Amino acid sequence: LPEKPLREALIYFRQIADIYEQIGDDYGKNIAIANIGEAYRDLGEYENALRTYAEAVALAEKRGDARLRDGILTSICETYFGQKKY
């Protein structure tokens, strides 16, 4: 994707994460944060992506959601792959 839509997505995903936090929906917040990581990865901002993914993994572990945690860990692997850090 071009950069502009990804930058817009970052704004919207942050707003979505805030809304989910306000209504107490930890799962929705977790997904929104993981999506922020995806947008950063697609922008090539790997350090931001990894930092955001780490936050999403911690939330998933806190919630006891191994399935979501494992999906985010896969995204972390893909980020390292994108950096050619095998």
Side-chain angles (χ1 to χ4, degrees), residues 27-47:
Y27 179 76
K29 178 183 175 185
N30 209 162
I31 294 294
I33 291 171
N35 284 329
I36 292 169
E38 297 288 322
Y40 277 132
R41 187 185 75 204
D42 290 347
L43 285 164
E45 296 183 19
Y46 298 120
E47 294 308 314

Side-chain angles (χ1 to χ4, degrees), residues 26-27 30-31 34 38 52-78:
D26 291 337
Y27 179 76
N30 209 162
I31 294 294
E38 297 288 322
T52 305
Y53 285 141
E55 180 183 354
V57 166
L59 286 172
E61 288 178 343
K62 180 180 176 185
R63 294 179 44 256
D65 190 335
R67 183 174 156 202
L68 180 57
R69 181 206 60 211
D70 293 349
I72 298 165
L73 289 173
T74 299
S75 294
I76 290 171
C77 292
E78 291 168 353

Side-chain angles (χ1 to χ4, degrees), residues 13-28:
F13 285 134
R14 285 186 189 112
Q15 290 172 349
I16 291 167
D18 289 344
I19 290 168
Y20 278 128
E21 184 171 8
Q22 289 172 11
I23 65 173
D25 184 337
D26 291 337
Y27 179 76

